[in-house]
Amino acid sequence: MTETSAEKIVQEQGKVTAVKANRKGEEITLETKAVILADGGFVGNKDEIKRTLASIL
């Protein structure tokens, strides 16, 4: 999806169920079973991963 940024990964009972996102200023919820982190460079920064994903790890 273009012009869409993920804001929060939603979990229920420890499993990913949705992603809350912002698309052109509108908050939307995308139901899903998995999330792929593909932001180009985030994966190479261990401190940023730890800080950002602390609530779900």
Side-chain angles (χ1 to χ4, degrees):
M1 298 180 92
T2 60
E3 299 182 48
T4 305
S5 59
E7 303 289 331
K8 181 178 181 181
I9 297 171
V10 180
Q11 292 186 50
E12 292 179 15
Q13 298 178 353
K15 294 184 180 182
V16 172
T17 58
V19 173
K20 293 207 181 262
N22 185 302
R23 184 167 194 213
K24 298 181 183 180
E26 177 184 352
E27 184 178 293
I28 60 174
T29 301
L30 305 168
E31 294 182 12
T32 186
K33 294 181 180 180
V35 175
I36 298 171
L37 301 176
D39 69 344
F42 181 79
V43 172
N45 187 330
K46 291 180 184 179
D47 292 333
E48 184 68 16
I49 291 170
K50 189 175 183 178
R51 182 185 67 76
T52 305
L53 302 179
S55 65
I56 65 169
L57 294 177

